[in-house]
Each structure stands twice: as C-alpha cells, then as structure tokens.
Amino acid sequence: MDAFAVEQLDFSELQAAMDEILNQSFSFQDTVLALLSGEQPFTMESFLRMALSEAGRSFAQEKQIFISILVLGIAAALLTNFTNLFKNDQIGEISFEMTYLLLFLLLLQIFTGAAELAGQVLSSVQSFMKALLPAWCLAVTLSAGSTTALVFYQFMLGLIYLLDTLIGEVLLPVLNLYMMLVFVNHLTKEEYLSQMTELTGKGVGWLLKTLLAAVVGFNAIQGMITPALDALKNTAFTRALRVLPGIGNVAGGVTDLLLGSAVLLKNGVGAAAVLVLALICLGPLVKLGVLFLLLKGTAALIQPVCDKRFVGCVAGAGEGVRLLFQAVFTVTVLFVLTIVVVTVSVRL
C-alpha cells in the first residue's frame, strides 16, 4: 500500500529540480520507498566519507591560496625590514602598500568566489524547497489534514520569499561591504573603522540568529496547535464511522489503516527531503569551512613576521568566509527544522 501511495505522488517536477542541482544520480521516489521499507540510503559513515573526500579535494584546490598569502607576507616583511635599514619610512610605507594592495586583490578574488558559491547553494536550496512543496503538502494533507498543510504551505512560501529578499538584497551586499571595511580599516596604522567593521560582522550574525529564533518559535507554536486541530477532526470522523451499525468497526479500522499509511508516507517524504538538503549543502559547507581554516591558519602563521595590518586583513577575510558559512548553514537548518517539526508533530 505504501509503494502504491508513493507512486500516486507526482515527483516529476521535484526530480527535475534535483537533476539540475545535484551532479549525481539520485531518485527521490526510490529513496522514499527505501526509507519506508526500513532501508538506509545513506548512513552517517557514508556522509563522513563524503565530507572527508570533499575536504581533501578542497584543500588540494585551495592550498595555492595558503602559499600565495604566505609568499606575500614574507615579501612584505622583507621589504619593510630592508627599507628600515636606510631609515626611510616613506619607502617602507610605499613598499607595504604595494604588497598590501596585491594581498587585497587576492583576498577579494577569494571572497568573491566564496560568495558566489554561497549564493548558488542558497539558490539551489530554495529551488528544491519550491519543487518539494506540492508533493510534501499533499502528503501532509493526507496524514494530518488541510489545516496543517495550508499553514505549512503558506509559511514555507513566505520563508522562501523572505530568505530570497534577505540574501540577495541585504546579506550578500552587507558582506561585500564588510570586506571593503576590513581592507580600508587595515590600510593605515590607526584602525579608524574597527568599530564599524565589528558592528557590520556582528550585525550579520545577529540577523541570522534572529531569523533562526523566529522560525523555531513559529514552528513550535504551530506544531502544537494545527496538528491538534486536524487530529481532533480525524478522531471525530473515525468515531462517527464506528457507530454505524454493521460496518462501523470495519470502516473505523480501514480509516485508521489509511491514516497510518498516510503518516508513514509523509514521514518518508520528509526524511528523503532532509537527506537531499544534506547532499545539496554538504559539499559547499565543507569548501567554505576549509577556506575559512586556511585563511585563519595562514593569519596565525604569518603573524610573528608580518605587519599587524597585513595579518588583520587576512584574518578579516577569514571572518567574512565564516559568515558565509554561517548563512548557508542557518538557511539549511531553517528548512530542515520546519520539515522535522511538521513530521514529528503529526501522529495518529
């Protein structure tokens, strides 16, 4: 019955979106069927292997960044010390500014690539959720009722639109501004924009944390109310069938069986959706994490020999990449939490 019910759901649009997003063969319908039969399409061990493999590839691709920054840092230190021998501060400052400009161009290229990667994965997550909504809401309607499905559908559409606006018009432009502030702040010996830079970085973090808290709170409230309303309707309908003379017990038993199958189907679709979200975000998150560690590690290594402004610029770029990582992770968690709350709150 579960296999028949799964085949009745239309996953064609969802599968087309997944084929465009993922670079691997992945059947959503087969994954749902595997989950309903008790199989595990992916284990924690397989995810760890994928993460380690992606980390190794990312490090191999990005290690040139580490070497380039290290060479620039050593060159800047040598030029500064060499010019100091001639007691000419002006030549030393010009030498530093030349190497600092080269460093900024390199870091700007790195950050721009990271921002494009974050924007692509966030767009992919939203595209997947838009394609998931019709089939997922139908499964929720069958298992819980129209009230829960309608509230979830409206909330998810609103969340997708809100995130699209925040990311495209607020988050990414603010992070680009943050990188410019980092560069200008460390260009001079006096950090005139340190407070503005810190405020901008913290503002992005506060925005993401506030969004996460608001979504969790809304899901918690709706998870307690709307499923209970639908459960009350289903219970009243089942009891009304049971009082029918002759066929009441049979009709009630069939209704319970259908509701149980619908709940199982909804759980299977929800679990498969969480797996797909993990697959979409795993690679980009690992890449951003490796890039963050490389920049922070490079800043730590060059600190003993380089000017503090040089080190601060590298560390600031690493902080910008960390904020991109936090944005991708937070958006993914928002959608996963919403799916999980609807899944676990709707029971027989």
Side-chain angles (χ1 to χ4, degrees):
M1 180 178 295
D2 293 331
F4 176 77
V6 171
E7 293 175 355
Q8 303 310 305
L9 294 178
D10 184 12
F11 294 126
S12 58
E13 182 180 353
L14 176 59
Q15 189 63 51
M18 288 174 51
D19 293 339
E20 184 178 352
I21 295 170
L22 298 174
N23 295 323
Q24 54 182 306
S25 177
F26 189 94
S27 174
F28 190 85
Q29 181 171 311
D30 292 343
T31 303
V32 175
L33 290 173
L35 289 169
L36 293 179
S37 61
E39 300 177 11
Q40 292 184 346
F42 290 93
T43 62
M44 184 60 66
E45 183 180 355
S46 64
F47 272 110
L48 288 176
R49 284 199 303 267
M50 292 172 60
L52 291 175
S53 176
E54 186 62 42
R57 285 197 299 269
S58 298
F59 180 78
Q61 294 171 356
E62 307 294 349
K63 65 180 180 181
Q64 188 63 37
I65 295 172
F66 169 79
I67 298 173
S68 300
I69 297 176
L70 194 61
V71 170
L72 281 175
I74 295 174
L78 290 175
L79 285 173
T80 302
N81 292 328
F82 180 76
T83 53
N84 287 338
L85 294 176
F86 298 95
K87 306 298 182 180
N88 193 328
D89 294 337
Q90 185 176 4
I91 296 178
E93 190 65 24
I94 293 174
S95 301
F96 171 79
E97 290 176 356
M98 290 175 58
T99 54
Y100 187 80
L101 180 59
L102 292 175
L103 173 69
F104 173 71
L105 293 176
L106 175 61
L107 293 178
L108 182 61
Q109 182 181 5
I110 294 169
F111 182 81
T112 301
E116 290 178 355
L117 176 63
Q120 289 172 0
V121 68
L122 290 173
S123 178
S124 297
V125 168
Q126 294 177 49
S127 298
F128 170 74
M129 291 305 301
K130 289 179 183 178
L132 174 69
L133 276 180
W136 171 244
C137 288
L138 178 57
V140 173
T141 301
L142 294 174
S143 61
S146 58
T147 303
T148 302
L150 180 60
V151 170
F152 169 79
Y153 185 81
Q154 293 176 337
F155 171 74
M156 191 61 72
L157 282 180
L159 180 60
I160 291 172
Y161 174 76
L162 175 64
L163 291 177
D164 185 57
T165 303
L166 284 178
I167 293 168
E169 299 182 8
V170 178
L171 185 63
L172 294 180
V174 168
L175 286 176
N176 289 327
L177 173 63
Y178 173 82
M179 272 303 300
M180 295 303 299
L181 289 173
V182 167
F183 170 68
V184 175
N185 183 50
H186 293 98
L187 183 60
T188 58
K189 293 183 178 180
E190 294 292 333
E191 297 184 359
Y192 296 107
L193 298 176
S194 59
Q195 295 299 318
M196 180 66 71
T197 305
E198 183 180 1
L199 178 62
T200 304
K202 287 186 177 181
V204 173
W206 292 337
L207 174 64
L208 294 173
K209 291 177 182 178
T210 301
L211 185 62
L212 180 61
V215 171
V216 170
F218 180 86
N219 281 327
I221 294 173
Q222 295 300 324
M224 291 185 294
I225 298 176
T226 53
L229 294 175
D230 285 321
L232 180 62
K233 296 176 183 177
N234 293 335
T235 301
F237 178 72
T238 303
R239 290 181 177 176
L241 287 178
R242 290 185 183 278
V243 300
L244 294 176
I247 62 170
N249 290 332
V250 176
V254 171
T255 302
D256 290 338
L257 178 61
L258 291 175
L259 289 175
S261 299
V263 170
L264 184 61
L265 174 62
K266 178 260 304 174
N267 291 349
V269 174
V274 171
L275 285 176
V276 174
L277 285 174
L279 287 175
I280 293 174
C281 299
L282 179 63
L285 283 175
V286 171
K287 288 181 180 180
L288 291 173
V290 169
L291 188 57
F292 163 72
L293 292 176
L294 277 176
L295 290 172
K296 284 293 188 179
T298 305
L301 285 176
I302 65 176
Q303 186 175 19
V305 297
C306 288
D307 189 290
K308 66 177 183 179
R309 294 173 288 172
F310 202 94
V311 178
C313 189
V314 177
E319 185 65 18
V321 173
R322 186 194 68 80
L323 292 173
L324 289 173
F325 178 95
Q326 184 179 355
V328 174
F329 182 78
T330 301
V331 170
T332 305
V333 169
L334 291 178
F335 288 121
V336 169
L337 280 178
T338 303
I339 293 174
V340 170
V341 166
V342 176
T343 300
V344 300
S345 62
V346 180
R347 300 178 181 177
L348 288 177

